Amino acid sequence: MKIEEKNIKMWSVIGSRATFGIAALEIAKKNKNLITLTCDVSTSAGLDRYRKTLPLQYLDLGIAEQNMIGVAAGLASEDFDVITTTFAPFQTMRCCEQIKVNIGYMKQNICMVGLASGLALGPLGYTHCCIEDIGVLRNIPGLTIISPADSLETVKALIETVKLKNPTYIRLTGSTNNPSVYNKDYKFEIGKSITVHNGKNITIFSSGAMVYQCIEAAKIIEKKNLSCRVINMHTIKPIDKESISLACKESDLIVSVEEHNIIGGLGSAIAEYKASIKDSPKMLILGIKDNYSKGGSYNFLKEKHRLVPALIVEDVIKFFKKQ
């Protein structure tokens, strides 16, 4: 795929879902062994052109997500590279047993893509919002979990995941007009976090669409005479232990920010490893506070759950001063 400025800008405008569809088509044109399975979401996943261009590499199972996982496992067992995709709660929780048995236990080469995870589908309520998927899937042995920061990273993650030959879940967050974290090509490596803003007093780990929010928050924090580092922890499993160790040595406070329940997600993964580090600094976990609120627009829900720059700053500074 051509990764150039005009494409990056276009991907940002159309958002990670549509960008995923474009990337999947380009990968499939070169990889004739790749088959993509969906559950009646070709338009939502940006896969209409893929479906029409490569009909022999595309299969729509209808609204039958658990069956999709079984079919995917069958294809993978015959040495096909397989991508499955539907909206995040249906891709993950509805299929949890099938993912465990047919993908995790059998170590199948399947890349699952959860569309519109987090709060993006807020107008449809929490049947369609997904704040539990990381917590559910992190418990399945051998499963890699990636949450791209923007549309460009979605492209990067998909390219690398198809090569991985390993069960993987890509969690897509954000909506259309998804702000870019990266404006040019860069090195993406599964399991290796990326520092996107330099600083020392406070280290903020984030993933998905929250990375941009945290960069903006860091700029505000620096106006308060504090130095703030922001790390894009795009791979949640396996977690980048080296990055956590370094942050614990250099910072006075560790913060995690995620569009997920504060239980079981990125913050929990960091805290589990951080507990083994002697004399590590305190940690603040920001996200959805283990509750289902009323539905609403994406921007409304981000603000309600204090996942916008000004409110992230307020919570971080308040906690920092209490230490």
Side-chain angles (χ1 to χ4, degrees), residues 145-147 153 188-189 191-194 232-236:
I145 301 173
I146 302 170
S147 183
E153 195 158 75
F188 174 90
E189 187 179 346
K192 294 292 181 183
S193 62
I194 303 170
N232 171 19
M233 190 69 88
H234 52 70
T235 306
I236 297 163

Side-chain angles (χ1 to χ4, degrees), residues 33 73-80 108:
N33 197 49
L75 289 167
S77 69
E78 293 298 320
D79 294 324
F80 284 98
Q108 295 288 14

Side-chain angles (χ1 to χ4, degrees), residues 6 22 34-35 50 112 135 139 144 197 208 217 257 299-300 323:
K6 68 174 185 178
I22 292 170
L34 175 65
I35 296 180
Y50 183 125
M112 299 175 288
N139 280 292
T144 296
H197 191 88
V257 182
N299 288 335
F300 169 80
Q323 293 189 100

Side-chain angles (χ1 to χ4, degrees), residues 37-196:
L37 309 184
T38 69
C39 287
D40 200 26
V41 295
S42 66
T43 301
S44 298
L47 289 167
D48 280 338
R49 281 180 59 207
Y50 183 125
R51 174 173 56 84
K52 294 170 185 174
T53 306
L54 301 172
L56 297 180
Q57 290 176 251
Y58 182 89
L59 189 59
D60 191 328
L61 277 301
I63 304 173
E65 293 84 0
Q66 293 168 328
N67 185 46
M68 176 177 70
I69 298 301
V71 172
L75 289 167
S77 69
E78 293 298 320
D79 294 324
F80 284 98
D81 298 324
V82 184
I83 295 172
T84 67
T85 190
T86 185
F87 290 106
F90 316 133
Q91 172 69 90
T92 56
M93 289 173 290
R94 183 170 291 175
C95 302
C96 188
E97 184 185 2
Q98 286 73 27
I99 292 169
K100 171 193 169 181
V101 176
N102 297 338
I103 297 180
Y105 191 25
M106 295 173 69
K107 300 181 175 67
Q108 295 288 14
N109 173 31
I110 296 171
C111 169
M112 299 175 288
V113 179
L115 304 175
S117 193
L119 303 169
L121 293 182
L124 298 175
Y126 281 83
T127 56
H128 285 65
C129 289
C130 195
I131 62 168
E132 315 89 350
D133 48 348
I134 298 171
V136 168
L137 295 187
R138 225 167 39 91
N139 280 292
I140 295 177
L143 183 68
T144 296
I145 301 173
I146 302 170
S147 183
D150 63 7
S151 296
L152 171 56
E153 195 158 75
T154 296
V155 172
K156 292 273 190 177
L158 192 64
I159 291 169
E160 293 305 312
T161 297
V162 171
K163 294 178 191 171
L164 193 60
K165 307 296 181 185
N166 191 65
T168 310
Y169 174 59
I170 298 179
R171 180 184 202 247
L172 300 185
T173 54
S175 188
T176 53
N177 296 309
N178 198 15
S180 290
V181 171
Y182 301 101
N183 296 307
K184 59 183 179 181
D185 202 356
Y186 70 100
K187 184 180 179 182
F188 174 90
E189 187 179 346
I190 293 172
K192 294 292 181 183
S193 62
I194 303 170
T195 298
V196 291

Side-chain angles (χ1 to χ4, degrees), residues 242-263:
E242 234 177 85
S243 179
I244 299 168
S245 294
L246 183 63
C248 287
K249 285 178 185 175
E250 295 185 345
S251 297
D252 302 312
L253 174 65
I254 305 297
V255 180
S256 66
V257 182
E258 59 193 310
E259 208 172 316
H260 186 276
N261 194 335
I262 57 171
I263 297 172

Side-chain angles (χ1 to χ4, degrees), residues 244-245 248 267-281 283:
I244 299 168
S245 294
C248 287
S268 294
I270 292 168
E272 284 164 15
Y273 176 68
K274 182 177 165 292
S276 68
I277 300 172
K278 188 178 180 181
D279 299 324
S280 63
M283 180 175 177

